[in-house]
Amino acid sequence: MSSTDMFHTEEMQRGGTIYRHRLSTRIWHWTNFVALVILLMSGLMIFNAHPRLYWGEYGANPDPAWLQIGNADGEGYLRVGDFRVETTGLLGVWEDENGATRNRAFPGWATIPSNYNLALARRWHITFAWVFAIGILAFAVWSYWNRHIERDLLPTKEQLKPAHIWQDVKKHARLDLPKGEEARHYNVLQKLAYLGVLGGLIPLMVLTGLTMSPAMNANWPWLLDIFGGRQSARSIHFICAMLLVAFILLHLAMVVLAGPLNEIRSMITGRYRLPEETGK
């Protein structure tokens, strides 16, 4: 038995509390939380400057947009392709804190800054994009060095079997969350979700963000070829951002269902109390 296993065993004997999250993971988690909130809110302000998305190299008001947030006859709307839904009061047309009607895509409470300022939004966005990117790089290097990805995130062959994945899906649908020893490790759905974000969404966010930079276009023109043009990169960047929002909301929902005090404490102190198994 390794010293780590002995430590975990002793912890279990003292009431089922284990050391779940290393300091590097906790620092990265909270740094990411702050960076992602600011990136999202400043990104929504940047989107307000031109609330339309296109595919291809170019896009302007007369061109057909596959997504648009706008207003007409005093009503706000969201249009995706041919589907259109009224969004007055939330998107397109809304009231600010003084009761004045505003005709912008996203409301002030959801953007940084709250008042329209494209230049300042870009400064916030670029600054915290660096914070986010450096954090991701440091986490990747540290996780490779301490084998966090290999040990904790990579699914085993048994876990990747369709029957095992389907069983996990059914358990989550019944809100039958892991307990006891099973809760010590990430389940296969958690692993696939985290790997999808770390290996898919985040790299796409970074690369498409670079593709929208004229300076990067001059130095790395192949990025435009990979993503099919700056407007396509902008669309992919927006889609990835919305998927990250969905991931965060699902993550928060699972934290609430699993016990918010225990989950949040584990991400602050590293200590996690394993939920007791039924009948014990």
Side-chain angles (χ1 to χ4, degrees):
M1 180 180 290
S2 68
S3 59
T4 301
D5 292 333
M6 290 176 64
F7 174 74
H8 284 164
T9 300
E10 292 173 359
E11 290 276 307
M12 287 286 290
Q13 291 174 349
R14 291 200 299 267
T17 299
I18 63 172
Y19 188 70
R20 191 180 198 187
H21 300 297
R22 289 173 171 79
L23 179 61
S24 58
T25 300
R26 302 192 318 263
I27 293 174
W28 179 74
H29 177 276
W30 293 113
T31 301
N32 268 358
F33 173 75
V34 174
L36 282 173
V37 168
I38 294 176
L39 282 170
L40 175 65
M41 296 179 72
S42 59
L44 294 182
M45 174 56 74
I46 294 171
F47 183 85
N48 276 350
H50 189 75
R52 300 172 179 84
L53 293 175
Y54 312 88
W55 296 112
E57 298 181 7
Y58 309 103
N61 287 356
D63 298 318
W66 69 269
L67 182 146
Q68 179 179 358
I69 300 175
N71 59 82
D73 301 323
E75 295 184 351
Y77 64 86
L78 165 66
R79 181 182 61 78
V80 180
D82 295 328
F83 175 76
R84 174 168 164 161
V85 59
E86 182 181 340
T87 57
T88 303
L90 181 61
L91 303 174
V93 176
W94 44 272
E95 291 186 357
D96 64 16
E97 65 276 7
N98 298 316
T101 300
R102 302 295 182 186
N103 297 317
R104 289 198 297 271
F106 289 98
W109 59 262
T111 65
I112 291 179
S114 57
N115 295 320
Y116 183 80
N117 189 323
L118 178 59
L120 187 56
R122 282 176 170 167
R123 290 174 189 169
W124 277 100
H125 202 72
I126 292 172
T127 299
F128 278 86
W130 276 108
V131 173
F132 184 66
I134 292 173
I136 289 293
L137 180 61
F139 178 78
V141 172
W142 189 255
S143 295
Y144 177 79
W145 182 79
N146 67 13
R147 298 177 58 239
H148 170 57
I149 294 178
E150 177 187 348
R151 182 185 58 253
D152 301 322
L153 295 181
L154 287 181
T156 64
K157 290 182 179 180
E158 180 64 29
Q159 287 180 320
L160 287 175
K161 290 181 178 179
H164 184 98
I165 295 176
W166 178 239
Q167 185 66 22
D168 227 33
V169 170
K170 290 191 293 184
K171 283 185 176 182
H172 278 75
R174 297 192 302 264
L175 300 182
D176 181 13
L177 303 180
K179 295 178 176 62
E181 184 65 19
E182 188 181 4
R184 181 192 293 274
H185 309 288
Y186 294 135
N187 59 63
V188 67
L189 295 184
Q190 286 177 301
K191 290 182 177 182
L192 293 177
Y194 293 148
L195 288 175
V197 170
L198 293 172
L201 287 184
I202 289 177
L204 273 177
M205 288 284 290
V206 173
L207 290 174
T208 52
L210 293 174
T211 304
M212 288 185 283
S213 166
M216 293 307 301
N217 295 162
N219 289 282
W220 293 356
W222 47 269
L223 283 173
L224 289 170
D225 296 329
I226 289 177
F227 293 108
R230 188 175 298 165
Q231 292 302 324
S232 292
R234 183 170 180 257
S235 290
I236 296 171
H237 196 75
F238 183 87
I239 292 170
C240 288
M242 294 303 103
L243 289 175
L244 271 176
V245 170
F247 169 80
I248 292 170
L249 292 177
L250 180 60
H251 176 67
L252 292 175
M254 295 306 298
V255 166
V256 171
L257 291 171
L261 293 179
N262 190 29
E263 294 286 338
I264 294 174
R265 180 185 62 185
S266 72
M267 195 50 73
I268 295 175
T269 68
R271 307 272 175 182
Y272 178 77
R273 180 174 292 279
L274 295 175
E276 294 184 4
E277 296 185 44
T278 304
K280 289 191 176 182

